[in-house]
Amino acid sequence: MLNNITVIVPSLNPDDKLKEVVNGLREKGFKDILLINDGSDDKHLEPFEYANSFDECEVVTHEVNKGKGRALKTAFRHILDTRKDIVGVITVDGDNQHTPEDIVACVLKMKELGNKVVLGARDFSGDDVPPRSKFGNNMTRRVFKMFCGINISDTQTGLRAIPYEYLELFCDIKGERYEYETNMLLELKEYSIPFEEVRIKTVYIEENSSSHFNPIKDSIKIYKTIFKFLLSSMTASLIDIGLFAILLIVFKGFIDEKTSTTLAAVLARVVSSLTNYTINKKAVFGYNQNGKSSIVKYYILAVCQMGASVGLLHLLKIAFGVTGSFLTVVLKAIVDTILFFISFRIQKQWVFKKKL
């Protein structure tokens, strides 16, 4: 039942809890346990030596700490090179926060579903959940849902059962540390990889003090992609609004107000959209697939968004009796802010959607 599954356990400076993880996996019948020593110091090598004494276990070592993301990618690549006949893998944290029963449940669910990634999802509503874990997960979960259109109840879970067919893709995902796990979840949406959650026990040992997660440093890395998109959109918006305001002044006295508003909006959007497309494609989404479909889709979206911007602007000017350049610019900024959130979702899920 579990013979064709590889368990991946990345670990940095472990204590005896890693031994408990290994013992629990072996007792459940797992025959292939791959531990990644991510640059642990000499004082913390004994748990790896203990694991390595069993035939079921293999230890791969990073000479220096490279981060959990790199440890997982090292494991995926090693498996692709040495294990061609397995069904899939399951990633497990080395601090004994995942029970053997939950690990088995996720593996069985993956085998049942075939091509779906299975995520072990904890319940964060309990009073026993450490505040930083509850806050971090709730915030990330809302961001995922609002900006990325992906509904995951436990964005920090390290218990993930992954079919073999997706390992090559996951080797190429950006990120070296904790942000890599977040990027993995984002790629599920990007590549339309189906997933399902399995409810697991919420276990925190010593208030999660063994975690190497740095709330400030690692959160910045986790939200890096989202920050870049926001910066790209803000840059384009500033260009759009700034050029719109300048053109309104330039056109004043030469053409009527309605025509000048429309023409200024169109010209400003052409320049800002070219800037936004280039930045989003190269710097934000890292979209490098062949073909011109992305720019065609982008400009279909841009035309629709421009029409919505101009149309809503005129409707609101009439509704509120707005006249004059300053108030028109303010009103346009409000309209485009609303359209920004809509555009983000469409770009991520349609314009720059990646294919396997």
Side-chain angles (χ1 to χ4, degrees):
M1 180 177 67
L2 302 175
N3 291 343
N4 53 2
I5 295 292
T6 300
V7 183
I8 299 172
V9 188
S11 185
L12 169 65
N13 293 330
D15 54 23
D16 285 344
K17 289 191 286 292
L18 182 61
K19 296 181 182 179
E20 297 175 22
V21 172
V22 170
N23 290 335
L25 292 169
R26 294 179 61 246
E27 289 172 3
K28 284 297 180 181
F30 286 100
K31 301 298 183 183
D32 186 16
I33 305 168
L34 177 62
L35 298 95
I36 307 298
N37 172 8
D38 188 28
S40 301
D41 59 41
D42 293 341
K43 297 179 181 179
H44 296 86
L45 296 182
E46 196 273 332
F48 293 109
E49 294 169 353
Y50 173 82
N52 214 22
S53 66
F54 299 109
D55 293 336
E56 298 94 331
C57 298
E58 178 184 4
V59 178
V60 173
T61 300
H62 287 165
E63 294 302 322
V64 297
N65 175 246
K66 296 183 179 182
K68 188 176 183 181
R70 175 49 57 185
L72 289 172
K73 285 189 276 190
T74 293
F76 295 156
R77 178 53 59 192
H78 184 70
I79 289 167
L80 287 168
D81 291 341
T82 61
R83 296 160 171 82
K84 307 291 186 182
D85 56 350
I86 65 170
V87 172
V89 305
I90 184 163
T91 63
V92 176
D93 290 343
D95 53 8
N96 208 27
Q97 291 192 34
H98 301 138
T99 68
E101 292 76 17
D102 285 336
I103 296 169
V104 171
C106 288
V107 167
L108 295 181
K109 177 60 70 171
M110 179 188 69
K111 286 191 169 186
E112 173 191 334
L113 299 175
N115 69 332
K116 286 188 177 182
V117 171
V118 174
L119 306 174
R122 298 162 292 178
D123 182 1
F124 283 84
S125 62
D127 295 333
D128 57 335
V129 179
R132 72 170 182 173
S133 296
K134 181 179 293 188
F135 172 78
N137 182 76
N138 288 338
M139 182 172 64
T140 307
R141 178 171 54 83
R142 291 187 176 94
V143 169
F144 268 42
K145 189 171 183 179
M146 177 183 294
F147 287 96
C148 308
I150 183 170
N151 192 11
I152 295 178
S153 61
D154 186 355
T155 60
Q156 299 174 352
T157 180
L159 186 59
R160 306 176 180 192
I162 306 169
Y164 185 86
E165 64 187 282
Y166 300 128
L167 296 186
E168 187 71 51
L169 170 64
F170 286 169
C171 284
D172 295 329
I173 293 176
K174 293 181 180 180
E176 298 298 304
R177 298 188 178 276
Y178 284 97
E179 79 277 10
Y180 172 76
E181 289 187 298
T182 301
N183 291 341
M184 285 176 66
L185 299 181
L186 292 174
E187 293 301 314
L188 297 180
K189 185 71 175 182
E190 289 291 315
Y191 286 97
S192 298
I193 297 174
F195 70 92
E196 186 163 322
E197 292 184 316
V198 170
R199 184 62 63 187
I200 63 173
K201 292 180 181 178
T202 305
V203 180
Y204 286 104
I205 300 172
E206 299 171 359
E207 289 293 301
N208 210 22
S209 60
S210 63
S211 173
H212 298 283
F213 182 85
N214 184 307
I216 297 177
K217 182 179 178 181
D218 290 303
S219 291
I220 291 174
K221 292 179 179 179
I222 285 173
Y223 292 109
K224 187 176 180 180
T225 299
I226 297 173
F227 288 157
K228 285 193 296 184
F229 185 90
L230 289 173
L231 182 59
S232 170
S233 298
M234 287 173 60
T235 300
S237 295
L238 289 174
I239 293 173
D240 191 30
I241 294 172
L243 187 56
F244 175 76
I246 292 171
L247 290 174
L248 279 181
I249 296 173
V250 171
F251 293 150
K252 189 175 183 180
F254 293 96
I255 50 180
D256 63 87
E257 183 177 350
K258 182 177 180 179
T259 302
S260 66
T261 299
T262 302
L263 185 58
V266 171
L267 292 176
R269 183 53 52 87
V270 168
V271 175
S272 65
S273 65
L274 278 171
T275 303
N276 186 243
Y277 171 79
T278 302
I279 296 175
N280 285 354
K281 180 181 179 182
K282 295 182 178 180
V284 179
F285 297 106
Y287 188 85
N288 56 7
Q289 296 184 357
N290 296 326
K292 299 179 180 179
S293 61
S294 65
I295 194 168
V296 173
K297 291 178 181 178
Y298 180 89
Y299 274 101
I300 290 174
L301 172 62
V303 169
C304 293
Q305 189 174 349
M306 180 175 62
S309 177
V310 173
L312 287 172
L313 183 60
H314 284 308
L315 287 175
L316 292 175
K317 284 182 67 176
I318 294 171
F320 294 103
V322 172
T323 59
S325 299
F326 176 75
L327 290 179
T328 299
V329 171
V330 172
L331 196 58
K332 185 178 187 299
I334 295 172
V335 169
D336 286 351
T337 298
I338 297 172
L339 292 175
F340 157 77
F341 291 101
I342 300 173
S343 176
F344 179 92
R345 291 282 296 271
I346 296 174
Q347 284 189 52
K348 188 167 187 63
Q349 298 178 27
W350 183 55
V351 176
F352 297 107
K353 187 175 183 62
K354 300 170 184 176
K355 298 179 181 179
L356 285 172

